[in-house]
Amino acid sequence: MDQIVDLEGIRLAISADEIRERRDFVQLAGARVTLSLPRPPIRFFRHGWQSWSLAAWTELHPLPIPKPHLLHPMQTDLRYAREKQPNGSWVGAVEFDDGNALLLGALGTDAHVALTEGGAGARLEGWFEGGNGEWLAAYGAKHTVFEAYAELLAERFGKARGLPAPRVWCSWYSLYTEIDEPILDKIFRDLGDLPFDVLQVDDGWQIAVGDWEANAKFPAGMTALADKIRSTGRRAGLWLAPLIAVKSSRLFREHRDWFLRDGRGKLVSAAFNWGEQLYALDTTHPAVSDWLANLMKQVRAWGFDYIKLDFLYAGALEGRRHDDMPREAAYRRGLQVLREAMGTDTYFLTCGAPIIPSLGLCDALRVGPDVSNEWENHRDARQLYNLAMPGAKNAIRTTVNRLWLRPLVQPDPDVVYFRTKECKLTRKEKRLLQDLALVCDFKATSDLPQWLSAKELEELRTFLKAAPKVRQLDLYKYQIDQRDLDFSPFVTIPTPLKGAESLAGHFVGWAAGQPIVLKIFDARGRASLKKLRKKL
Ligand code: 9PG
């Protein structure tokens, strides 16, 4: 049906199967819905698919396609990666010249929104991949339309339990994969009485991604590792990426039939990392489901009860599944299995996760790309135009644009830095990350105590103990106790390169998509980390 609706003072031509006018918004139903805009918009809110994908208000002209394409499956929604028109996952919004916004948001999984040109002008269009579904259309101040969306999402997906986020020391952003028993022992001792609630072991403990057993660097085994942490009076945390496997893993070799394939029977790529090709498990396969549940029970039996599950997007890639169902619904089913098996006494953090389909099933959700020890990388930001890559600015930009999710789930903005050693961030940049952590009320760091000066250690202690009052004043403005904080300068996106510079960018983009180049980069990165490890 087509109908003209008066919504908070604007006239909208709506096309949907069902249109119900509520007090401040309109609820729609249909596999495809369209809102014809009353006047031309000036900006569009792009909501990226998973934790690391870009979320930002952008101009309407097409943005360069992020490179390399080889990484699209793990950085954006592959299905729409090369789409020119402004578009986003589940929700999209346009801003008009008076600063008000019109939002169209899906109240289910497997939905997408785009700004299109119709006969009579611009339109917001939304569709569900798997058939029918419900929508919200809301108009008003930017942060209020997202408030309305979050409220309806809570009704559909449930809210997280609202557990206070534990304060986490995480091993990733210092030693990366080069962790081992003696160095973790030393760190756990050196952390002394710093008020951390969880010590979380990240990537690097396992035999291979897919083979979730202690590798040779952890000869005492995983129970001993968890015991060691618990003996310091803290909860033990562990990282796993249960929905992917590297090509060289035993899991992939022994269970090829568990992995997602396309309509022609070809294995679906879940991108490339650790110098290797990644494949995705089919979460609807009964044997996979059992394996996932057993894995979670194993982790709990080892003694870990803070679990960070990563690279979860793999469960929602397009492909032909054992049970035919929409891809994000399939992911959610897998997530349910994982959650149930780990038990409700586990604190569950999802990462690299499709945002809306994760709601209600986890305690915390990473809402931006990884931070790193540098602000912005020229190659990544300008030459590759890849805003999902690790980096402090990338992390802040997307996280700040996802804070409307706060009523639904504990947002994880990733770790903060206090160290000067092994860190290129300025004092101001480090402070900004710390402030964002206070706004999110999620505190984590990977700083090695031995890298911190006495003053930095005290700053870290003060940060961990802080419980400031945080108030949102405007879309990007907050007040922390009496201090004003404005993220607007940091949500901007880079201007694309032109001319010869852009040509150089194309070459870098091509090179960065060659598996051999990525392999070499991975090997070089590891070698320099090994050197760093030796010095400790
Ligand atoms: C361990 C890490 C850490 C980190 C996670 C995730 O788009 N990318 O190229 C990309 C690569 C790695 C990555 C995120 C994005 O890091 O977010 O906290 O656990 O895995 O390997």
Side-chain angles (χ1 to χ4, degrees), residues 50-53 71 74-76 170 172-173 176-177 200-204 206 209 239-241 272-274 308-311 313 349 351-352 366 368-371 386 388-390 412 414-415:
Q50 53 114 320
S51 308
W52 309 324
S53 321
L71 298 187
M74 81 169 173
Q75 297 186 322
T76 174
C170 154
W172 183 246
Y173 303 87
Y176 295 91
T177 51
Q200 183 239 312
V201 179
D202 213 280
D203 187 1
Q206 73 283 2
V209 170
W239 171 96
L240 302 98
F272 202 91
N273 202 19
W274 303 282
K308 171 180 176 183
L309 297 187
D310 204 354
F311 291 79
Y313 67 86
L349 164 64
C351 186
R366 247 291 271 295
D370 287 19
V371 297
N386 190 326
M389 289 290 200
D412 167 11
D414 210 2
V415 307

Side-chain angles (χ1 to χ4, degrees), residues 190-410:
D190 291 355
L191 286 170
D193 66 347
L194 281 168
F196 285 106
D197 305 303
V198 170
L199 307 184
Q200 183 239 312
V201 179
D202 213 280
D203 187 1
W205 62 270
Q206 73 283 2
I207 291 179
V209 170
D211 303 337
W212 302 105
E213 279 160 54
N215 61 30
K217 297 184 293 167
F218 292 86
M222 297 312 285
T223 305
L225 185 59
D227 280 347
K228 173 71 62 61
I229 295 172
R230 282 145 48 116
S231 75
T232 74
R234 299 174 176 111
R235 292 170 75 171
L238 192 66
W239 171 96
L240 302 98
L243 303 185
I244 53 167
V246 292
K247 197 174 176 181
S248 68
S249 64
R250 200 168 141 186
L251 185 76
F252 179 69
R253 254 183 294 127
E254 290 182 356
H255 296 287
R256 271 188 190 232
D257 56 317
W258 289 4
F259 288 84
L260 191 64
R261 290 170 187 272
D262 65 16
R264 286 173 309 177
K266 215 179 135 244
L267 282 161
V268 168
S269 168
F272 202 91
N273 202 19
W274 303 282
E276 279 203 66
Q277 179 61 50
L278 311 182
Y279 293 113
L281 284 166
D282 173 1
T283 58
T284 70
H285 194 300
V288 171
S289 210
D290 288 347
W291 180 85
L292 289 171
N294 287 331
L295 178 60
M296 288 304 108
K297 287 181 189 149
Q298 174 68 258
V299 170
R300 292 288 283 110
W302 285 335
F304 296 90
D305 67 353
Y306 174 99
I307 302 184
K308 171 180 176 183
L309 297 187
D310 204 354
F311 291 79
L312 292 177
Y313 67 86
L317 293 170
E318 272 188 289
R320 250 260 258 297
R321 290 183 162 75
H322 182 278
D323 292 350
D324 184 29
M325 61 198 298
R327 57 199 174 106
E328 290 168 5
Y331 160 73
R332 193 165 168 83
R333 199 165 104 180
L335 199 63
Q336 226 139 12
V337 168
L338 291 161
R339 168 88 265 191
E340 239 164 63
M342 71 176 75
T344 49
D345 49 356
T346 302
Y347 194 91
F348 180 24
L349 164 64
T350 49
C351 186
I355 302 294
I356 302 298
S358 302
L359 296 177
L361 295 176
C362 55
D363 295 301
L365 171 60
R366 247 291 271 295
V367 287
D370 287 19
V371 297
S372 82
N373 61 358
E374 66 180 329
W375 179 247
E376 190 172 47
N377 178 287
H378 176 75
R379 182 197 61 208
D380 294 349
R382 306 299 302 280
Q383 298 185 309
L384 302 178
Y385 211 80
N386 190 326
L387 309 180
M389 289 290 200
K393 182 165 185 201
N394 287 346
I396 291 172
R397 179 194 298 113
T398 288
T399 299
V400 164
N401 277 302
R402 290 234 182 85
L403 291 181
W404 54 272
L405 287 161
R406 276 191 304 165
L408 289 163
V409 66
Q410 169 65 58

